[in-house]
Amino acid sequence: MFDPSNPTFNKAQHIKYWLRCLKTHLPTQYTSNDSQRTTLAFFILSALDLLGVLHERTTESERAAYVDWIYRCQHPDGGFRGFTGTDVGEARNAENSCWDPANVAATYFSLAALTVLGDGLQRVRKRECLKWIKALQLADGSFGEGLGESGKVEGGRDVRFCYCAAAVRWMLRLGTNDEELDVADIDAEALVGFITSSQVQGENLSLERRADGGQTHEGGIGKAPFHEAHAGCTYCGIATLSLLGRLPRNRGKETSTNTGRTEISSEFLEMTTRWLVYRQTSLIQEEDFPVHVDAFPSPILNQRTPSHHTLTAESKIDLEPIFHVQGASLDGIGNPLIPPVVQQSPPPPPKAPEDELQFAGFNGRCNKVCDTCYSFWVGGNLAILQKVHLFNFTANRQYLLSKSQHLIGGFGKLPGDVPDILHSYLGLAALAAMREADLRSIDPTLCMSVNAREGLESVAVAAAIENEKMKK
């Protein structure tokens, strides 16, 4: 009988789910993702790797075929396509080449999938790819998605592309130096500046924001300047800094010998950590939010009527401001006609009953319900920062295994949802980051198993030793 107080990880069902994804046709709902097949391939292959069965449940010839298919997605000018559908082969010319672009996300997922398969990236056109990555960087330090007509950078000012570019750079420059590749490096300092340039100053939270900054006044990182903080974007920002070797505990991860490095401030990390920890919530469904009754709208701020008041002109003065802040208390707030930003801070929220904390996942933004993927975007982020001890492991595990784990295997986005590839993978990754016994250890920065990363590192070390021998 299922015991909600002690849920179990159903490894056998998860293996069946991922093998179905690998070896049978995906449901029709995935048709719109046809141009992102390399992304789906990474999630499927890496999931089986985290489960420790990739080599047991696939043959050597099958894995070789997967590798060959990924290399078919490699673009002649550098990078990878998302699928083979745009490859026109010998018919490619200057007029139609714009319809067959490489993109930075597909390049990351292709290299990551090859790494999971143990390929070693020997057939990757490294020089072309690194030149292409360099060409994608914009003046503000961010990266575009791809190159369009006449080499114009398409997309950009998005921290997700920054992460993909940094990960590609890390994998391709591993075990090499700038002289060997003879390819100019990206502007790492500009990239760091894009992520870290916003600062919070003073107790009144006055915000000094430069046009090229990603961190918000909340402490998290947004998709781009002046965007709301988002857990997925915060993961991309922190993981990028990790890949650049700019976090205090991973100074050696940098793959280049840049000087004049920008170091990350303790304030930046403390704010980010605090914002991440506050993403854990017991609000699982929309109906868990309290219902607010809005009345007498003010040009300054909305107001609400306390439950014990009658809506009369005389009682209007007693109205309290709405604070759509999760768990915030209205007690002790001053004049409701004064904007809350200049009032005293509200008192700490009341302690939640223990039974409400039995299931506590993570949301991606303030005032949102739990979502399976954020258990990794937040949990993996805290693992990179080596701060996983700050959140409630047990409550998050209970949420994942009792609420979003599906009986056929995989994980749904929300409780009751059918499993999908993205959330199923990130559910596994979240549990791996919490060191689930039936899963391999995960490298939270690269979002793949430690085994896969170490395999790539061993190939790079062997290649570096061979190069040194040839020089002698």
Side-chain angles (χ1 to χ4, degrees):
M1 180 180 293
F2 172 70
D3 180 4
S5 65
N6 186 29
T8 58
F9 175 67
N10 196 338
K11 183 175 181 177
Q13 288 301 106
H14 286 286
I15 292 172
K16 289 180 180 179
Y17 171 80
W18 288 109
L19 287 174
R20 283 196 300 272
C21 292
L22 179 65
K23 298 190 176 184
T24 64
H25 294 294
L26 293 175
T28 57
Q29 288 85 346
Y30 288 93
T31 302
S32 60
N33 298 118
D34 197 41
S35 62
Q36 303 175 48
R37 288 194 180 196
T38 53
T39 302
L40 300 178
F42 166 74
F43 287 142
I44 295 169
L45 294 168
S46 191
L48 290 167
D49 181 44
L50 285 176
L51 288 162
V53 298
L54 177 60
H55 286 71
E56 296 176 11
R57 305 301 291 270
T58 60
T59 65
E60 185 176 350
S61 61
E62 285 175 329
R63 294 192 297 276
Y66 304 151
V67 168
D68 289 340
W69 178 82
I70 294 172
Y71 275 114
R72 283 182 57 200
C73 296
Q74 186 168 204
H75 197 277
D77 298 331
F80 284 75
R81 312 171 179 88
F83 73 141
T84 57
T86 58
D87 182 9
V88 295
E90 295 180 357
R92 177 184 174 84
N93 56 45
E95 294 182 356
N96 62 29
S97 61
C98 62
W99 298 104
D100 178 30
N103 75 77
V104 71
T107 302
Y108 160 69
F109 284 115
S110 295
L111 295 179
L114 289 171
T115 299
V116 167
L117 288 165
D119 170 69
L121 311 184
Q122 291 93 339
R123 285 189 274 167
V124 175
R125 300 185 183 97
K126 292 186 178 182
R127 286 188 176 85
E128 290 83 351
C129 191
L130 288 170
K131 288 180 180 178
W132 173 74
I133 286 290
K134 171 69 174 175
L136 292 178
Q137 189 168 23
L138 299 170
D140 63 2
S142 67
F143 282 81
E145 182 179 6
L147 298 178
E149 293 185 78
S150 303
K152 179 184 177 182
V153 177
E154 302 290 348
R157 295 181 67 77
D158 189 325
V159 72
R160 295 172 297 182
F161 298 151
C162 294
Y163 167 75
C164 292
V168 169
R169 168 187 181 268
W170 187 88
M171 287 187 277
L172 295 186
R173 288 188 176 272
L174 187 64
T176 64
N177 56 51
D178 294 345
E179 293 181 0
E180 291 176 359
L181 288 170
D182 193 26
V183 177
D185 199 2
I186 65 170
D187 188 342
E189 293 305 310
L191 177 53
V192 172
F194 177 77
I195 297 169
T196 65
S197 61
S198 295
Q199 299 293 327
V200 174
Q201 300 178 348
E203 295 181 355
N204 62 352
L205 300 185
S206 62
L207 182 65
E208 176 186 331
R209 183 192 293 274
R210 282 169 39 188
D212 58 350
Q215 189 181 35
T216 70
H217 68 283
E218 302 166 282
I221 297 173
K223 171 185 173 183
F226 307 108
H227 284 238
E228 181 182 10
H230 187 280
C233 295
T234 301
Y235 168 85
C236 289
I238 295 299
T240 298
L241 295 176
S242 176
L243 290 165
L244 295 174
R246 303 309 172 90
L247 298 182
R249 290 185 173 88
N250 65 356
R251 300 299 187 199
K253 207 173 185 93
E254 170 72 323
T255 58
S256 184
T257 55
N258 290 334
T259 59
R261 292 151 51 100
T262 300
E263 301 299 340
I264 307 305
S265 69
S266 59
E267 181 186 24
F268 176 91
L269 296 176
E270 288 170 5
M271 286 180 58
T272 303
T273 300
R274 179 182 178 183
W275 185 84
L276 289 168
V277 170
Y278 272 94
R279 301 280 58 76
Q280 188 161 27
T281 176
S282 60
L283 295 175
I284 297 176
Q285 298 174 326
E286 291 290 347
E287 51 265 31
D288 292 334
F289 282 102
V291 178
H292 295 289
V293 179
D294 296 343
F296 299 106
S298 164
I300 301 178
L301 62 127
N302 287 332
Q303 300 171 329
R304 76 170 185 179
T305 302
S307 58
H308 60 281
H309 278 211
T310 304
L311 292 176
T312 65
E314 291 76 13
S315 64
K316 183 176 178 180
I317 192 64
D318 295 323
L319 298 178
E320 296 175 315
I322 291 178
F323 284 85
H324 294 290
V325 178
Q326 187 174 307
S329 170
L330 296 175
D331 296 335
I333 302 299
N335 189 338
L337 298 182
I338 301 176
V341 292
V342 297
Q343 295 191 41
Q344 64 182 15
S345 299
K351 185 177 180 180
E354 289 297 325
D355 58 343
E356 289 187 14
L357 298 179
Q358 182 179 1
F359 310 105
F362 289 90
N363 60 26
R365 294 178 287 158
C366 293
N367 295 325
K368 296 294 183 180
V369 298
C370 299
D371 183 327
T372 296
C373 65
Y374 296 117
S375 287
F376 178 75
W377 296 136
V378 177
N381 220 327
L382 290 170
I384 295 172
L385 295 169
Q386 299 189 20
K387 301 288 186 181
V388 290
H389 60 283
L390 295 179
F391 73 88
N392 189 326
F393 264 45
T394 302
N396 186 40
R397 185 176 184 273
Q398 296 268 82
Y399 168 76
L400 289 171
L401 299 185
S402 298
K403 299 297 183 180
S404 65
Q405 179 178 231
H406 202 278
L407 59 88
I408 68 168
F411 294 85
K413 172 183 172 69
L414 302 172
D417 285 359
V418 296
D420 65 82
I421 288 176
L422 169 68
H423 291 90
S424 294
Y425 180 74
L426 293 177
L428 285 183
L431 290 170
M434 295 190 293
R435 301 181 181 179
E436 183 71 23
D438 288 329
L439 294 172
R440 284 181 165 180
S441 298
I442 192 170
D443 181 324
T445 302
L446 293 171
C447 197
M448 65 177 70
S449 74
V450 172
N451 296 59
R453 187 209 69 211
E454 289 178 343
L456 180 61
E457 288 175 331
S458 65
V459 171
V461 169
I465 293 173
E466 188 62 28
N467 287 337
E468 288 298 321
K469 290 180 179 179
M470 292 178 64
K471 291 179 181 179
K472 296 178 181 179

